[in-house]
């Protein structure tokens, strides 16, 4: 989900005095473009150049041991995040530390020497959004917010509504009014406020930006975006720790806004800088759906600028036509010797089924995108089959059943008798 | 799912010589009714009295430390299960060690002093069936099976198909032909054989019993049932370990066949006997849907015999009209001073929504049954509000969306403008 275009450079704050000691190692907000620094607060756009703000840190005393002694959730990395030291004790869904699955069957099928699936469908609401929402809530509470909001059509809506229920705070989730009932239910069931907006997703996003300028609410991916986005780093930390404190040689990451890809790279660089892993080369690959491939298009054309597109793909959780972090994702892929590739909707479906058939992991469409891209990059020689590779699955197939339903039916239909069973030739 | 009625006392074996050292602490099969003992094998019914066979163990060297040094999955309890010592190294989904969530909001709402939700929706295919299937596969491989099968309409089908994919063995899942497409997809996607049978669930079950007598296949809940059922013990072990090696005072468990409830009790008794927990009193409560409450009916009537019923409830994963372990579940509830209670379909829906709203956990209908039963037992005074209580959620709400869809919609629908937002009075 992209940051909605907005005139506002800060959202309305709740008038709480911010205690900087409650943000762990975070010391300031800093503009990604011009470097201008701001005090920690509910800001997200640079007043000087309108660039996006990021968290600036001063890390101290982070060791493998201090991390390993933490909880089995993303809070084991609290000393690398803009959250208070007691974050794990506050009521929260405790996402993260999902499985890094050795994917031997899939590796064999693809001709890869060593492959892992980082399976974020194991999160509480079954997508990686639980991570970013958890960090946004932890920081947002310190900024004084008691209502948390977002615009979303899927995973983010689920994650915000569930996190608010656990935390005992109010949620207000904005969705397009014509969303399928199934997707409304998975957010509404958590009992927060669910606002159906008579318009498309762009209309919903625009309205949220306006509301964020008026109401003292924490919109996780608007005014809390600098904090929110840092949650994605934890995927990178976990991959390294679960490999035994080393970096993989190749990683395949889905690209929507581009933020996840850039944050995994940031996590790897932080771990190197802190001496927690050896400084070994890694290559980062981005995966998009051909029906919404603005970053892949720019990569292949050799452009630095990402031309917006109108999304048309079954991979709805990646369907951001104008990705805010697209240029940064291009930078990472180029700097690390990776690539950004895209795959068609039929290839996505094949990717989902390939992963399910070989590893028993049922991924949502975004996981189909990464697995299909992995296969395509191997076929084109861009991925080294002898290099240790990690592919990300960021969500659960139960949320996107429609993608595989037309091609996933019974093998055979028989009468209820042993003779019918025998005749079917299944033995 | 009940053991299908069958004339056969043993299924066809694959002719493999069974190595008894490959079943961990398991030493024999023993009849639950007459005590007759049999060598470990693909047997499930006593030849003397037609009683169900259970695993007999000789435990050695199990300590809190040996368990704590194991993997973060149900295999940490391998020394208490009929599985080989190297079970964790074989390709499997590594289910278990799901979260025990302190449910402070729900406790407050219900007036309970201390409440935990044991949340098995966090398993790989999002139900507790991954546990029993994992144990059935581990034992079944040692018995020589290379095809694994089951009859199911839901969670078990998903679990078998996914486990087979990961293990690289064949699965053959039998379902009624008129199952909704959504439920077919979540099994078919894993690529095993899916047989649609022109009949109802009873017909499918009968066919499976016949096939089990002919084909050298491991039907997880037929000829592998004694091993399979032991997987449920791990829920009991985990609750005790996650509470810091002690037993809860009250547990609320869903009752389908009744096996899960009896196995949690068995786990608690084993832990006491092995000195791993103190011998403190606990009470076990069973939860059924009123539309399929044969065990609750018998409990309330003071009967030892469970009268079969024709199921009619939204809690389809509990809809076993003739529960094989019903009498044993009655025994456990009575012996521990618990009870078996049932709740209506509207109460089940309310239970799902109550858990979602207070804790951010979206349960399938079976979880709605346990939460609603918890509430009902508190209201009737059968549960002590001051006693530490654990309620089980055995599956994920994403699999039973239909239950809550009619009552989970948007709070409000508005035009896409700030003024419309203001008029809606949401601020």
């Amino acid at each position: 989900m992209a940051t909605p275009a907005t005139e506002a450079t800060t959202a309305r704050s709740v008038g709480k005095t911010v205690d900087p000691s409650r943000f762990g190692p975070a010391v300031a907000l800093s503009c990604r473009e011009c470097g201008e620094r701001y005090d920690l607060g509910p800001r997200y756009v640079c007043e000087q150049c309108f660039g996006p703000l990021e968290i600036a840190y001063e890390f101290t005393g982070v060791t493998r041991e201090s991390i390993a002694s933490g909880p089995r959730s993303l809070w084991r990395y609290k000393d690398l995040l803009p959250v208070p030291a007691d974050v794990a004790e506050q009521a929260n869904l405790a996402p993260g530390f999902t499985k890094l699955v050795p994917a031997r069957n899939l590796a064999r099928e693809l001709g890869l020497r060593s492959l892992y699936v980082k399976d974020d469908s194991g999160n509480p609401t079954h997508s990686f959004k639980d991570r970013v929402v958890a960090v946004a809530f932890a920081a947002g509470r310190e900024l004084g917010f008691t209502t948390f909001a977002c615009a979303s059509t899927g995973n983010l809506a689920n994650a915000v509504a569930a996190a608010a229920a656990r935390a005992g705070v109010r949620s207000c989730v904005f969705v397009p009014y014509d969303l399928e009932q199934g997707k409304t239910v998975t957010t509404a069931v958590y009992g927060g406020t669910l606002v159906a907006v008579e318009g498309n997703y762009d209309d919903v996003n625009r309205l949220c930006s306006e509301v964020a300028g008026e109401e003292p609410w924490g919109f996780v991916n608007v005014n809390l975006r600098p904090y929110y986005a840092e949650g994605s780093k934890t995927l990178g930390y976990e991959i390294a720790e679960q490999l035994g404190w080393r970096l993989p040689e190749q990683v395949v990451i889905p690209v929507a806004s581009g933020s996840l890809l850039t944050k995994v790279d940031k996590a790897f660089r932080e771990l190197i800088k802190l001496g927690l892993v050896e400084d070994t080369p890694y290559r980062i690959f981005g995966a998009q759906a051909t029906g919404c491939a603005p970053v892949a298009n720019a990569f292949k054309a050799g452009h630095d600028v990402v031309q917006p597109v109108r999304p048309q793909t079954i991979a709805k959780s990646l369907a951001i036509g104008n990705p805010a972090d697209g240029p940064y994702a291009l930078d990472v892929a180029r700097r690390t010797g990776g690539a950004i590739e895209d795959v068609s909707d039929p290839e996505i479906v094949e990717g989902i089924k390939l992963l399910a058939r070989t590893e028993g992991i049922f991924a949502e469409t975004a996981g189909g995108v990464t697995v299909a891209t992995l296969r395509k990059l191997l076929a084109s020689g861009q991925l080294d089959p002898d290099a240790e590779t990690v592919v990300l699955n960021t969500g659960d197939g139960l949320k996107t059943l429609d993608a595989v339903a037309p091609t996933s039916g019974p093998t055979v239909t028989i009468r209820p008798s042993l003779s019918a069973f025998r005749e079917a030739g299944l033995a």
Side-chain angles (χ1 to χ4, degrees), chain A:
Chain A
M1 192 154 310
T3 305
T6 171
E7 299 298 303
T9 54
T10 59
R12 195 179 135 176
S13 93
V14 290
K16 185 190 174 186
T17 308
V18 172
D19 174 357
S21 77
R22 297 287 296 165
F23 294 84
V27 292
L29 291 165
S30 113
C31 176
R32 180 135 193 182
E33 289 298 331
C34 74
E36 180 77 12
R37 280 166 86 101
Y38 301 87
D39 287 346
L40 292 166
R43 275 173 197 278
Y44 57 108
V45 182
C46 177
E47 287 180 12
Q48 306 301 316
C49 75
F50 297 97
L53 300 186
E54 280 205 307
I55 309 291
Y57 295 101
E58 284 174 14
F59 298 123
T60 49
V62 187
T63 64
R64 290 182 186 180
E65 292 69 32
S66 69
I67 291 168
S69 69
R72 308 286 293 191
S73 73
L74 87 176
W75 301 134
R76 64 202 283 108
Y77 309 108
K78 67 180 165 59
D79 294 337
L80 300 165
L81 295 170
V83 298
D86 60 0
V87 65
E89 284 81 64
Q90 296 171 18
N92 77 92
L93 294 173
F97 223 65
T98 55
K99 288 179 179 161
L100 183 71
V101 178
R104 296 189 189 94
N105 300 334
L106 180 56
R108 198 179 310 118
E109 182 125 351
L110 296 177
L112 261 169
R113 187 180 59 78
S114 172
L115 175 66
Y116 294 85
V117 177
K118 178 62 176 172
D119 186 13
D120 247 23
S121 68
N123 275 313
T125 71
H126 307 316
S127 88
F128 91 102
K129 292 293 185 186
D130 288 323
R131 299 175 183 272
V132 285
V133 167
V135 175
F137 271 54
R141 268 191 306 241
E142 299 302 327
L143 298 173
F145 293 114
T146 54
T147 297
F148 289 82
C150 71
S152 168
T153 60
N155 287 327
L156 183 60
N158 298 171
V160 166
R166 177 70 61 86
V169 298
R170 184 181 175 203
S171 68
C172 191
V173 172
F174 294 77
V175 297
Y177 74 119
D178 58 354
L179 212 57
E180 308 91 294
Q181 194 195 28
K183 296 208 166 173
T184 312
V185 171
T186 55
T187 295
V189 74
Y190 297 108
T193 303
L194 179 61
V195 182
V197 178
E198 290 169 346
N200 61 25
Y201 182 65
D202 287 337
D203 296 323
V204 178
N205 246 335
R206 198 174 309 114
L207 176 61
C208 283
S209 293
E210 290 171 4
V211 174
E214 292 241 332
E215 295 301 327
W217 289 2
F219 279 82
V220 296
N221 58 340
V222 183
N223 50 340
L224 292 175
R225 190 173 180 83
Y227 307 90
Y228 165 92
E230 292 295 283
S232 292
K233 290 195 306 179
T234 59
L235 261 165
Y237 299 145
E238 288 179 19
I239 291 169
E241 182 179 0
Q242 290 171 326
L243 285 174
W245 290 114
R246 58 185 176 73
L247 301 180
E249 294 171 86
Q250 305 178 135
V251 196
V252 182
I253 301 172
V255 173
S257 72
S259 173
L260 173 57
L261 184 147
T262 62
K263 294 297 181 180
V264 170
D265 171 64
K266 188 178 180 186
F268 287 176
R269 286 184 291 127
E270 285 175 355
L271 294 179
I272 292 170
K273 204 169 166 189
L274 290 163
L276 295 172
V277 298
E278 226 182 294
D279 186 0
T280 54
Y282 61 86
R283 296 197 294 153
I284 290 190
F285 296 82
Q288 295 207 295
T290 304
C292 182
V295 190
N297 295 344
F299 182 85
K300 293 178 200 175
H303 294 163
D304 292 334
V305 175
V306 174
Q307 202 78 356
V309 301
R310 195 181 178 81
Q312 180 65 39
T313 170
I314 57 170
K316 293 206 184 356
S317 64
L318 303 184
I320 297 181
N322 188 13
D325 290 310
Y328 304 120
L330 285 172
D331 285 351
V332 169
R334 288 179 177 138
R335 174 170 49 75
T336 64
I340 318 265
E341 184 54 277
D342 57 273
V343 287
S344 69
D345 284 3
E347 287 174 312
I348 294 167
V349 171
E350 273 312 298
I352 294 172
K353 294 171 81 172
L354 174 62
L355 180 62
R357 175 167 60 78
T358 53
E359 299 297 339
I361 296 171
F362 184 20
E364 67 154 41
T365 43
V369 169
T370 51
V371 170
T373 299
L374 170 69
R375 177 150 75 174
K376 191 168 178 181
L377 289 168
L378 277 164
S380 67
Q382 290 171 279
L383 272 173
D384 176 359
D386 290 321
E388 185 169 68
T389 305
V390 174
V391 62
L392 267 60
N393 172 36
T394 50
D396 202 292
L398 288 177
K399 296 199 193 181
T400 55
L401 285 182
D402 289 350
V404 291
T407 58
S408 300
T411 315
V412 66
T413 300
I414 64 171
R415 282 170 294 112
S417 76
L418 200 50
S419 60
F421 170 77
R422 287 195 196 115
E423 281 159 24
L426 299 167

